[in-house]
Amino acid sequence: MSLFLNALPEIMTIIGLFLALLLCGIGSAKGALMIGQAAAALISEHPDRFGQSLVLQMMSASQGLYGFIVAFLIFMKFDVGMGFMDALRCFSAGSLMGIAGWITADKQSILATAGIQILAKQPEHSTKGVLYSAMIETYAIFAFVISVLIVL
């Protein structure tokens, strides 16, 4: 039991890193898949709209990038024998980014898929779909900034 307690800060840090990378990656991958399916259907009818649909598909991918950066910062802080408070900061930053990244990527993909529908019916209004999706992005950015500040 004492071995576990002695290793607890390192374990917490690794779990924080894991949560940031895994949860953001799951949300981004699911979102890219969902939007990509809708975009592929659109491109089969209107190949000239590829560039506009790609912008919408990339919207939910940003959370994966944010999770990677936070995980990398946590990795750089990792040290055998690190203190409990440093480990708690790493765990908190990783969990915040992981959970917020997963949820925002999931919700953003729903809006971006609706944006693909706008692009299919009224391509001149496709920017509106991007803006709807970008509103969710602000919450991912908030979580990213706070996570980075916690780690640093």
Side-chain angles (χ1 to χ4, degrees):
M1 184 62 150
S2 68
L3 180 63
F4 174 77
L5 291 177
N6 289 339
L8 186 60
E10 290 88 352
I11 293 168
M12 290 172 55
T13 302
I14 291 169
I15 291 172
L17 184 153
F18 182 78
L19 290 173
L21 197 55
L22 179 72
L23 296 179
C24 288
I26 288 171
S28 288
K30 180 184 174 218
L33 172 67
M34 188 171 151
I35 302 159
Q37 287 175 323
L42 170 66
I43 298 308
S44 69
E45 297 288 324
H46 303 284
D48 59 313
R49 298 183 190 165
F50 173 75
Q52 292 169 297
S53 67
L54 187 61
V55 169
L56 286 161
Q57 188 190 22
M58 290 173 28
M59 293 296 292
S60 69
S62 60
Q63 285 85 341
L65 177 62
Y66 302 152
F68 173 77
I69 293 169
V70 169
F72 180 77
L73 292 173
I74 292 170
F75 177 78
M76 296 306 292
K77 282 283 191 182
F78 182 82
D79 185 28
V80 175
M82 65 191 306
F84 181 79
M85 291 309 292
D86 286 335
L88 183 58
R89 279 194 286 278
C90 290
F91 176 79
S92 299
S95 1
L96 168 64
M97 188 68 252
I99 293 168
W102 187 6
I103 292 170
T104 57
D106 181 57
K107 303 310 176 196
Q108 193 172 44
S109 65
I110 294 167
L111 286 174
T113 301
I116 295 289
Q117 294 169 4
I118 293 171
L119 180 59
K121 295 177 182 172
Q122 296 181 318
E124 65 277 5
H125 294 288
S126 65
T127 305
K128 293 174 183 174
V130 172
L131 290 174
Y132 288 139
S133 187
M135 294 303 295
I136 302 292
E137 183 76 19
T138 58
Y139 296 101
I141 292 170
F142 293 158
F144 174 67
V145 168
I146 295 302
S147 293
V148 167
L149 292 174
I150 290 170
V151 173
L152 297 178

